[in-house]
Amino acid sequence: MKRLTHVALVAMLLPCGLLHSAGVKPVVDARPIPPDEGTAGVWQALKRLHTRASVLMIVAHPDDEDGGTLAYESRGVGARVSLLTLDRGEGGANVMSSDYWDALGLVRTEELLQAGRYYGLDAQYFTSMADYGFSKSLNEALGQWGHDRVLEQAVRVVRTVRPLVICSVFVGGPTDGHGQHATAGLMAQEVFKAAGDPKMFPDQIKEGLLPWSPVKTYARVPFFRVSEKGMYDYANHTWGPVGVTNHVTGKWEEGKPSVTVSIPIGSYDQMMGETYVQVSREGLGFQRSQNGGPSVPLSGMQMSDYHRFGTTLDAKTKEESFFDGVDTSLTGIADFAGAQGASSSLRVSLSAINDLVEKAIAAFSAEKPATIAPYLAKGKLGVEKLIGEVEKSDLPSETKYDVLHELRVKDRQFNDALVAALQISLNADVTQAGKDDPMMAMFRGAATTFQMATPGLSFPVKIHLYQSAVPSLAVKSLKVVGTSGKDWNVTGGVSTPSQAKAGEAIETIYSVKVPEDEPFTRPYFTRDGLQNAFYEIAPGAPRNKPLSPYPLQAEAQLDYEGATINLASVVQVVSRVNGPGLLRYPMPVGPALAVSLSPSAGVVPLGSKATTITVRVHNNVKGAANPSVRLDVPSGWSVEPKTIPIHFAQEGEEQSVSFAVSPNVTEGAKYTVTAVASLDGKDYREGYITTGYLGLRPYFLYSPAQYAAIGTDVKMAQDEHIAYIEGSGDDVPAALEQIGVHVSYLSAQDLAGGDLQKYDAIVLGVRAYAVRPDLIANNARLLQYVEKGGVVIVQYNTPEYDHNYGPYPYAMTGDPEEVTDEKSVVKILDPRNPVFNWPNKITEKDFDGWIEERGSKFLQSWDSHYSPLLETHDAGQPEQKGGLVYARYGKGVYIYNAYAFYRELPLGVPGAFRLFANMLSLPKNPEIH
């Protein structure tokens, strides 16, 4: 194996995009969370200094993680804890907004990053896999993703993190209940051997990422439903033998996995004032798109049980911790040198550093945490001296690599401990020149700023540096830097004091100009379509990171008793919102104009004489702007007018303009319309959506300003008045505009006392019963509406709907069925039903081309007044007839629908439009009158 130069080692050991301030991780969030503030933060920093314990957990989706175990290991044990999540949850549900697919993946990424702060994670990683929807078997997931593709990235992360212990929530088999879950369990066991094998993925080694062999691998003990039939396989709905496959040994282990170690996640932490599972549940509560908000349990002992699947040690059958039998002391770093002479001198130096940590622990005072800072400064200087000695030593390159990795982790941890003990804070905000009023800022905070920078923009940035623990700290440097490698023009800050005095904030203003070629703040991973189960990674992008680094950050270097303390903080934009108040989010860079067409996909009915296409333009120019907008249409189409001017008075404005388009389509043919906005000689052909919801850090999903349409033979009853009860968020109403349906949204007041009978049909948005208490309160009025002749169409709901809200009894159960194979055969059970015959003749061909799934939350049983209309099922699954049930009630019709129209309509699936149009047309269907 080739020897590595000092430069190569440094480059590999510094995280991608963090090459400033000696590798310190920049603070992304403007404020720390309570468990990391004050003396609690200092005490946990000391725990981390006193051990080299490390663990990597591997899961499939955001919210799969065992947060209690992560928090216990990080905040209780002091271990360096990382999390690898295979995908970003793109195929899941969303109870907070209408973000789905890749937009939902960004939402759930941001949610998991917030949760990880509470878990105490050192770092988070993702693979390039995308959640393509529910997968019922391991083989299906591996078929979609590719076994070696997933393993290569899991190995890359293990070789980057170099953890002592690997663990997973899943065992890699049918009991994991989801093929993607099982893949995570499989990877957690396979990387245990693969990451240390130099024959596995040698290209990584050529890059300089050396092999690493963890000491143990665990999985949480699964819940087995066992009876005289054996073990129930939830994925395949079958009974089989009780046991699991040990993927480390390749052997079948009969019986339920034994409990090797029980993690006491319910332990109470005196410094934090809560249990580890409580602080983890606070973090889990940030994953609101899945769970709607936090649910923190009361204090009480709780254990999380794990089974050990592999070890390189002669380990005991029953253990007290993940690290039983492992030397996790600082002096244990010397073991990398083996029996070589260098091991002895290395151990002596490490022992001296460890003594300083123990003196800091013994001298720790909750009232005066800064009293331990001298020990921490000496410890940091000792580590940095040792790093220099190791770099110059004759140790083999592999040994040097491992030792330096551990020492650089300790250097960063000493740095973090000094920041905590000295209570130093560094913040950086975009500001407004000449508008800061110190008195008003005291009461109201910073002034509202622009929300997105654009190439070529100049603006001021204010850095705020503060410490209150010691009389003064020498300020070695204070600056603003770009992270992309582009040439940011930064001036100012010349009057920065040389000393940061206790209780006296240093505030310095810099003038910053965005480079003309600065890349936009956007995902570094993209895919051409939802049919792709993994992303393509942009050249030169950070591999396996959650997101690219934000474009601009402040950096500071301070001196304390000879030790250099590094800080970095991402520059924030500021806004004020009624309710939450002042909000700070990392400053993004984006285009001067963002152009979008909504929806981005759909259908053009055959014979359409004219249609209206609306273009929305968002202005990021700081001030007035006068762009023009045009449409590029397919050959044979015509558009009027040719261009439309727009006049923006200020930044942040949005305007919509409409074009009259005369299409010329044939059935099944595909067409693309592109919107173009022109300003100052530049054309803008893409736009972005800001994903997320109030309170979640926003991110930006870009897409071409295009409308991809399919010529479709779809008809709709004329002059219908359709109402919509919004649920957790979907894009169905916008999609329906394409077939001439303009919905009226029903408010709580409308449901309680409005005239419902004026509507021909009322559609319930997805998960409406979960998020609309007014709907539950007025459900009787909805049934009265049906009884008097109305049509109600209930879209996908989860088990909150299992309360007989329909006109007749039904049962969904707490674990309702779903059909995940979008190609599963769909049978029409009652071809004579009006739903299938007017105004469009529905056949089984209308279920071709569906994307991601057939449907979810099928009814299990129903009263005889309901008629099941369709049947479909996955391979090995019993027939599912509860996905579309139809009932006459009085003069009207009530429909429960579990089929995924909320996915298919916005994606432009022709058959979905035809069937939904028939349901909406029922009030005027001659067969029921």
Side-chain angles (χ1 to χ4, degrees):
M1 191 175 298
K2 68 177 181 179
R3 281 189 174 270
L4 302 172
T5 66
H6 167 59
V7 173
L9 282 166
V10 171
M12 287 183 296
L13 288 170
L14 288 178
C16 209
L18 304 180
L19 300 179
H20 303 285
S21 291
V24 65
K25 294 191 294 185
V27 175
V28 176
D29 298 275
R31 286 294 306 272
I33 60 173
D36 291 335
E37 289 187 300
T39 54
V42 181
W43 183 242
Q44 288 175 78
L46 288 175
K47 287 183 182 180
R48 292 180 180 121
L49 278 177
H50 200 228
T51 180
R52 57 177 290 260
S54 55
V55 59
L56 171 69
M57 181 176 286
I58 302 177
V59 297
H61 316 96
D63 86 359
D64 286 347
E65 66 278 357
D66 180 357
T69 292
L70 293 172
Y72 174 80
E73 296 299 334
S74 174
R75 298 186 179 281
V77 175
R80 177 170 54 90
V81 177
S82 302
L83 177 66
L84 168 60
T85 309
L86 297 187
D87 65 46
R88 298 169 187 266
E90 296 89 340
N94 186 355
V95 302
M96 293 298 295
S97 69
S98 59
D99 293 316
Y100 287 103
W101 305 105
D102 295 357
L104 177 58
L106 294 177
V107 169
R108 296 190 69 186
T109 297
E110 290 287 5
E111 289 178 331
L112 186 58
L113 291 173
Q114 292 301 319
R117 301 175 73 198
Y118 286 79
Y119 304 154
L121 297 181
D122 182 74
Q124 290 198 42
Y125 300 89
F126 291 83
T127 73
S128 63
M129 305 307 117
D131 179 2
Y132 53 83
F134 186 78
S135 179
K136 293 189 174 181
S137 71
L138 173 61
N139 287 337
E140 179 187 351
L142 294 176
Q144 290 273 5
W145 284 345
H147 173 277
D148 288 356
R149 181 182 290 107
V150 185
L151 182 60
E152 187 274 335
Q153 295 187 50
V155 166
R156 178 179 289 274
V157 171
V158 170
R159 288 173 175 172
T160 300
V161 175
R162 310 181 87 73
L164 293 170
V165 169
I166 302 283
C167 69
S168 180
V169 173
F170 307 111
V171 299
T175 57
D176 293 328
H178 193 312
Q180 293 172 18
H181 291 171
T183 302
L186 173 69
M187 292 299 124
Q189 295 178 46
E190 288 199 0
V191 295
F192 177 69
K193 296 173 69 175
D197 184 352
K199 296 178 182 178
M200 295 295 293
F201 311 112
D203 286 348
Q204 294 181 4
I205 298 171
K206 292 177 183 177
E207 295 171 20
L209 193 61
L210 299 191
W212 174 258
S213 296
V215 178
K216 299 178 185 178
T217 183
Y218 297 85
R220 195 166 65 180
V221 175
F223 169 74
F224 284 0
R225 181 180 167 193
V226 179
S227 76
E228 67 279 356
K229 299 179 183 179
M231 180 180 71
Y232 191 69
D233 178 344
Y234 286 94
N236 297 312
H237 303 279
T238 59
W239 294 90
V242 178
V244 295
T245 298
N246 184 324
H247 298 286
V248 175
T249 63
K251 296 179 180 178
W252 171 262
E253 294 184 356
E254 189 173 350
K256 184 176 181 179
S258 60
V259 176
T260 309
V261 60
S262 295
I263 308 300
I265 62 176
S267 302
Y268 189 81
D269 187 294
Q270 298 288 345
M271 282 292 183
M272 291 194 304
E274 56 187 339
T275 68
Y276 299 108
V277 73
Q278 284 176 321
V279 71
S280 76
R281 288 289 190 88
E282 290 178 46
L284 182 65
F286 281 90
Q287 303 193 56
R288 294 187 175 99
S289 65
Q290 292 293 292
N291 58 39
S295 176
V296 180
L298 297 175
S299 300
M301 182 47 66
Q302 185 176 340
M303 310 298 285
S304 192
D305 296 332
Y306 281 80
H307 174 75
R308 188 183 65 235
F309 278 93
T311 178
T312 61
L313 306 175
D314 184 16
K316 297 181 292 185
T317 303
K318 190 73 175 177
E319 298 178 326
E320 296 298 319
S321 79
F322 284 153
F323 305 103
D324 273 15
V326 184
D327 184 356
T328 59
S329 67
L330 267 64
T331 55
I333 297 173
D335 292 342
F336 288 115
Q340 303 170 56
S343 173
S344 177
S345 60
L346 186 59
R347 195 174 298 275
V348 169
S349 298
L350 289 166
S351 179
I353 294 168
N354 185 65
D355 287 346
L356 290 168
V357 175
E358 292 185 347
K359 288 177 180 178
I361 291 172
F364 174 74
S365 166
E367 293 182 351
K368 297 181 179 180
T371 56
I372 66 171
Y375 298 115
L376 300 177
K378 291 177 182 177
K380 188 173 192 297
L381 290 169
V383 168
E384 289 168 352
K385 178 183 178 184
L386 189 54
I387 287 172
E389 292 171 354
V390 172
E391 288 174 342
K392 296 174 183 177
S393 73
D394 294 328
L395 287 170
S397 59
E398 296 90 341
T399 300
K400 186 180 293 189
Y401 186 99
D402 288 332
V403 172
L404 285 173
H405 176 86
E406 297 281 349
L407 291 178
R408 292 187 185 281
V409 167
K410 285 300 151 196
D411 188 32
R412 176 164 57 84
Q413 290 178 341
F414 268 112
N415 188 86
D416 294 345
L418 276 166
V419 171
L422 296 173
Q423 297 292 286
I424 310 170
S425 63
L426 175 69
N427 297 91
D429 288 342
V430 172
T431 188
Q432 298 184 35
K435 292 192 176 181
D436 276 346
D437 182 334
M439 185 59 68
M440 291 304 297
M442 182 183 303
F443 295 101
R444 295 182 55 83
T448 296
T449 66
F450 65 79
Q451 296 301 291
M452 179 168 283
T454 55
L457 177 69
S458 296
F459 57 92
V461 170
K462 181 170 68 175
I463 292 181
H464 180 99
L465 177 66
Y466 182 82
Q467 68 89 12
S468 62
V470 292
S472 67
L473 289 171
V475 179
K476 298 175 69 174
S477 69
L478 193 60
K479 57 187 177 180
V480 176
V481 297
T483 63
S484 66
K486 303 295 182 181
D487 185 17
W488 285 71
N489 187 345
V490 181
T491 58
V494 294
S495 59
T496 301
S498 61
Q499 298 288 323
K501 297 180 180 179
E504 296 182 13
I506 292 176
E507 290 194 341
T508 303
I509 293 181
Y510 293 79
S511 177
V512 175
K513 184 176 182 180
V514 185
E516 292 288 351
D517 58 348
E518 176 69 15
F520 298 159
T521 304
R522 65 198 308 168
Y524 66 85
F525 43 91
T526 57
R527 54 177 174 164
D528 292 335
L530 299 178
Q531 72 278 4
N532 297 328
F534 48 88
Y535 294 102
E536 298 297 327
I537 304 302
R543 297 289 298 274
N544 303 120
K545 298 291 185 179
L547 299 165
S548 297
Y550 284 99
L552 193 64
Q553 64 189 42
E555 296 180 357
Q557 280 193 338
L558 308 175
D559 181 276
Y560 176 75
E561 297 194 0
T564 299
I565 303 172
N566 296 286
L567 299 96
S569 184
V570 171
V571 173
Q572 311 278 316
V573 292
V574 183
S575 62
R576 175 171 288 279
V577 179
N578 287 338
L582 202 69
L583 299 176
R584 284 180 167 89
Y585 293 126
M587 186 203 77
V589 172
L593 299 175
V595 189
S596 61
L597 291 171
S598 180
S600 59
V603 298
V604 178
L606 298 184
S608 296
K609 300 301 181 184
T611 187
T612 299
I613 292 183
T614 300
V615 180
R616 192 161 188 83
V617 183
H618 178 92
N619 179 40
N620 286 321
V621 176
K622 309 307 179 278
N626 298 293
S628 63
V629 184
R630 71 177 191 270
L631 288 183
D632 291 345
V633 297
S635 176
W637 293 34
S638 61
V639 57
E640 289 293 338
K642 299 301 182 184
T643 62
I644 300 178
I646 293 180
H647 304 286
F648 290 119
Q650 58 189 3
E651 180 227 355
E653 278 189 85
E654 289 189 357
Q655 291 189 33
S656 296
V657 294
S658 296
F659 295 84
V661 177
S662 297
N664 181 13
V665 302
T666 58
E667 186 170 6
K670 298 180 179 180
Y671 304 88
T672 300
V673 176
T674 302
V676 184
S678 300
L679 178 67
D680 296 333
K682 293 183 179 180
D683 287 344
Y684 298 86
R685 300 171 181 265
E686 69 172 351
Y688 61 84
I689 60 170
T690 303
T691 63
Y693 44 84
L694 186 62
L696 180 70
R697 184 167 57 217
Y699 209 72
F700 310 94
L701 180 64
Y702 282 77
S703 59
Q706 293 181 338
Y707 171 53
I710 300 177
T712 303
D713 183 10
V714 55
K715 304 176 185 67
M716 177 69 203
Q718 299 300 303
D719 301 321
E720 283 211 323
H721 299 284
I722 308 297
Y724 206 85
I725 301 174
E726 284 188 286
S728 59
D730 60 67
D731 292 327
V732 169
L736 293 176
E737 294 276 345
Q738 299 167 88
I739 57 172
V741 176
H742 311 287
V743 305
S744 300
Y745 292 93
L746 297 186
S747 67
Q749 291 78 9
D750 294 328
L751 282 175
D755 178 14
L756 301 182
Q757 300 306 140
K758 66 182 180 181
Y759 300 108
D760 295 291
I762 298 176
V763 181
L764 275 63
V766 300
R767 298 198 67 179
Y769 282 95
V771 299
R772 293 287 297 265
D774 59 302
L775 172 61
I776 296 173
N778 295 289
N779 193 68
R781 293 197 77 231
L782 207 60
L783 296 181
Q784 290 171 5
Y785 160 79
V786 177
E787 190 174 22
K788 293 178 181 179
V791 172
V792 163
I793 302 167
V794 180
Q795 293 192 87
Y796 152 82
N797 271 265
T798 42
E800 63 270 352
Y801 179 67
D802 199 19
H803 293 283
N804 283 317
Y805 291 121
Y808 308 107
Y810 59 82
M812 176 182 279
T813 78
D815 186 24
E817 295 281 355
E818 47 194 85
V819 181
T820 62
D821 183 359
E822 66 271 28
K823 297 180 181 178
S824 64
V825 175
V826 178
K827 297 178 182 178
I828 297 176
L829 300 177
D830 183 7
R832 295 178 299 175
N833 189 280
V835 165
F836 300 126
N837 292 290
W838 190 86
N840 306 290
K841 180 63 178 177
I842 302 300
T843 68
E844 291 175 1
K845 186 176 182 297
D846 285 297
F847 295 94
D848 293 345
W850 285 49
I851 298 172
E852 202 264 337
E853 66 177 353
R854 285 300 188 198
S856 182
K857 309 304 181 280
F858 284 53
L859 297 184
Q860 184 183 71
S861 61
W862 47 88
D863 184 271
S864 60
H865 287 87
Y866 293 105
S867 297
L869 301 184
L870 298 173
E871 189 282 320
T872 189
H873 59 276
D874 289 328
Q877 182 184 29
E879 291 188 345
Q880 298 300 312
K881 298 181 180 181
L884 189 66
V885 296
Y886 170 102
R888 293 299 305 267
Y889 180 63
K891 298 178 181 179
V893 174
Y894 185 94
I895 294 175
Y896 173 74
N897 158 64
Y899 283 80
F901 289 99
Y902 74 100
R903 296 190 188 276
E904 310 309 318
L905 295 178
L907 294 173
V909 176
F913 274 93
R914 286 166 46 83
L915 180 52
F916 210 86
N918 278 16
M919 289 191 286
L920 292 175
S921 299
L922 282 172
K924 295 188 177 179
N925 190 316
E927 296 183 43
I928 64 172
H929 292 290

